Amino acid sequence: MSCSPCSSSLLCNSLAVTSIFHSKDSLYPPNQPKLPSKKLFIFASLNLDSPRHCRKTFEATKSISDGGGSPPGEPPTGGSGGGGEEDDYKKEVEEEFGPVLKFEEVIRETDARVASLPSDMLDAAKSIGIRKLLLLRYLDMQASPWPLGAAMRSCSMLRNRMLADPSFLFKVGAEVVIDACCGTFAEIQKRGEDFWPEFELYAADLLVGVVVDIALVGLLAPYVRFGKPSFSNGIFGGISRACASLPSSVFEAERPGSRFSIKQRIGTYFYKGVLYGSVGFVCGLFGQGIANLVMTAKRNVNKSEEDIPVPPLVKSAVLWGVFLAVSSNTRYQIVNGLEQVVEASPVARRVPLVAMAFTIGVRFANNIYGGMQFVDWARWSGVQ
């Protein structure tokens, strides 16, 4: 079996490239993003006597490229098929995130800013490159005044979310401020004359609420992924791999080369519910524990007939966990989806203040409802 003389060199190149695809991940070259399952490299099915087939396979093999730091919504191993679909994918991604800068270009741009890259970004630059928009965005943010600049350089969780969504900190800040104000208003309305006798409960709710607010926004925020994640073998590695393939939120926008099935979106709802429930339970133990200590200390100093019973610690923590897993998870998934719709609108793209105003408005309404609902849940459960 042989190709014509005019294509023999091309065939050798094709065979050399495709010969590395021999493991169970045979469709994915090392240090490259996995592509959607399109088996372009099953050489046994090709007619090697045809120069056209040799050339087509070689070009398809050459077309594989990495995302250069996967943009939000793009899997950490992102990519697309070959031919026209691959060209469309590259065009759409480059329009939004710019071309992939190679290591020399990345270093040149970094040195010009008298800056340095974190180890994961540097490794990505050496192996696959970094998208121009992501690099420039990082260099701008790491040069910001303290504490943002220092946080961008040292905290990868914050950095990756800020690179994906520069308004991330605004959303966190808005959530904390709105929740504190709306929570106070809701507590006063619901507790009425019992507000001051139950002040410790309000303080505990407020303290836990700040931590929870950060988790609520952060766990649903899109983020940039640098490099290819590694997973252990066995059941835990399989679970981690499945979780990593899920979108950041139920309504995360699809991007070129990244499509989420209905099952994945449903799985995200339950997965985030588990995460929210865990955060709620731990924060409930901490916050309610402080409140119970304060209440017990006050009663030891000055007992009063108006004192309410000290709430059960574990039961209160369970309430927090269930509330976040069910109510908060549902409400914030919807809020996140609405924000994405508005941010993607032509009006918001021209006038960013529109998206910011919508964020404040929708989170204000959500917090009013959520705060009142929590008090009802607490009373129905007998915790408060």
Side-chain angles (χ1 to χ4, degrees):
M1 186 181 300
S2 62
C3 290
S4 62
C6 66
S7 63
S8 59
S9 175
L10 187 58
L11 174 59
C12 292
N13 289 334
S14 299
L15 290 171
V17 173
T18 56
S19 63
I20 65 176
F21 306 140
H22 57 270
S23 67
K24 63 181 181 180
D25 293 328
S26 59
L27 297 184
Y28 314 130
N31 300 323
Q32 292 286 2
K34 293 183 180 180
L35 308 179
S37 181
K38 293 194 175 181
K39 301 183 179 180
L40 301 176
F41 310 110
I42 303 179
F43 244 73
S45 66
L46 295 178
N47 179 3
L48 299 185
D49 292 323
S50 168
R52 182 181 61 183
H53 286 169
C54 296
R55 181 167 146 271
K56 181 177 180 181
T57 303
F58 178 58
E59 291 177 346
T61 306
K62 278 184 62 180
S63 70
I64 300 176
S65 64
D66 189 87
S70 301
E74 185 177 343
T77 53
S80 185
E85 185 178 349
E86 173 70 13
D87 293 339
D88 292 341
Y89 164 75
K90 289 182 177 180
K91 182 178 179 181
E92 291 181 46
V93 173
E94 289 192 3
E95 285 179 355
E96 186 169 1
F97 298 100
V100 176
L101 300 182
K102 300 304 179 183
F103 179 70
E104 295 77 10
E105 298 172 301
V106 170
I107 295 302
R108 189 182 309 118
E109 191 70 38
T110 303
D111 289 344
R113 303 285 191 98
V114 193
S116 59
L117 294 180
S119 59
D120 58 340
M121 292 185 68
L122 191 60
D123 290 342
K126 291 178 179 178
S127 59
I128 57 179
I130 299 178
R131 289 282 172 188
K132 183 176 182 179
L133 176 64
L134 301 181
L135 176 64
L136 296 181
R137 187 174 288 175
Y138 170 76
L139 293 175
D140 289 339
M141 291 182 177
Q142 64 85 33
S144 302
W146 189 90
L148 177 59
M152 287 292 295
R153 292 189 293 270
S154 59
C155 181
S156 60
M157 292 182 65
L158 174 63
R159 179 200 71 201
N160 292 343
R161 283 162 175 77
M162 289 291 290
L163 291 180
D165 181 7
S167 63
F168 172 71
L169 276 184
F170 169 77
K171 293 176 180 177
V172 172
E175 185 67 32
V176 171
V177 173
I178 292 172
D179 186 38
C181 296
C182 294
T184 300
F185 175 79
E187 295 266 1
I188 292 175
Q189 289 293 106
K190 283 290 183 179
R191 299 189 189 277
E193 296 179 356
D194 294 329
F195 178 78
W196 290 111
E198 299 177 0
F199 182 79
E200 295 89 347
L201 304 178
Y202 157 74
D205 292 346
L206 188 65
L207 177 63
V208 175
V210 172
V211 178
V212 169
D213 289 337
I214 298 174
L216 287 171
V217 179
L219 289 175
L220 295 185
Y223 59 94
V224 173
R225 304 161 175 91
F226 289 101
K228 181 179 178 179
S230 58
F231 303 104
S232 61
N233 295 325
I235 184 172
F236 293 106
I239 293 175
S240 299
R241 191 177 297 107
C243 292
S245 69
L246 297 175
S248 297
S249 62
V250 172
F251 302 107
E252 180 175 348
E254 293 186 339
R255 295 175 183 272
S258 175
R259 298 294 182 266
F260 301 114
S261 67
I262 297 298
K263 288 183 179 180
Q264 284 179 305
R265 295 185 183 277
I266 294 175
T268 295
Y269 175 81
F270 289 101
Y271 174 59
K272 298 297 182 178
V274 171
L275 295 181
Y276 278 0
S278 302
V279 170
F281 181 77
V282 173
C283 290
L285 282 177
F286 180 75
Q288 194 61 57
I290 293 177
N292 288 1
L293 288 175
V294 173
M295 293 173 72
T296 302
K298 285 179 62 177
R299 282 155 177 71
N300 290 335
V301 174
N302 183 21
K303 290 186 177 182
S304 172
E305 294 181 355
E306 296 182 355
D307 289 339
I308 61 174
V310 177
L313 179 59
V314 176
K315 191 175 181 179
S316 298
V318 171
L319 171 66
W320 271 101
V322 173
F323 184 78
L324 261 68
V326 179
S327 176
S328 298
N329 183 29
T330 303
R331 289 184 288 107
Y332 280 89
Q333 294 282 3
I334 295 173
V335 167
N336 191 269
L338 292 175
E339 284 181 334
Q340 291 187 46
V341 171
V342 173
E343 289 170 355
S345 66
V347 176
R349 289 182 179 274
R350 289 195 300 269
V351 186
L353 285 177
V354 172
M356 298 173 71
F358 179 80
T359 290
I360 294 175
V362 73
R363 291 184 182 273
F364 180 84
N366 177 56
N367 275 279
I368 286 286
Y369 177 74
M372 297 175 68
Q373 188 182 53
F374 179 79
V375 176
D376 288 336
W377 281 40
R379 288 183 169 171
W380 292 339
S381 64
V383 170
Q384 297 183 11

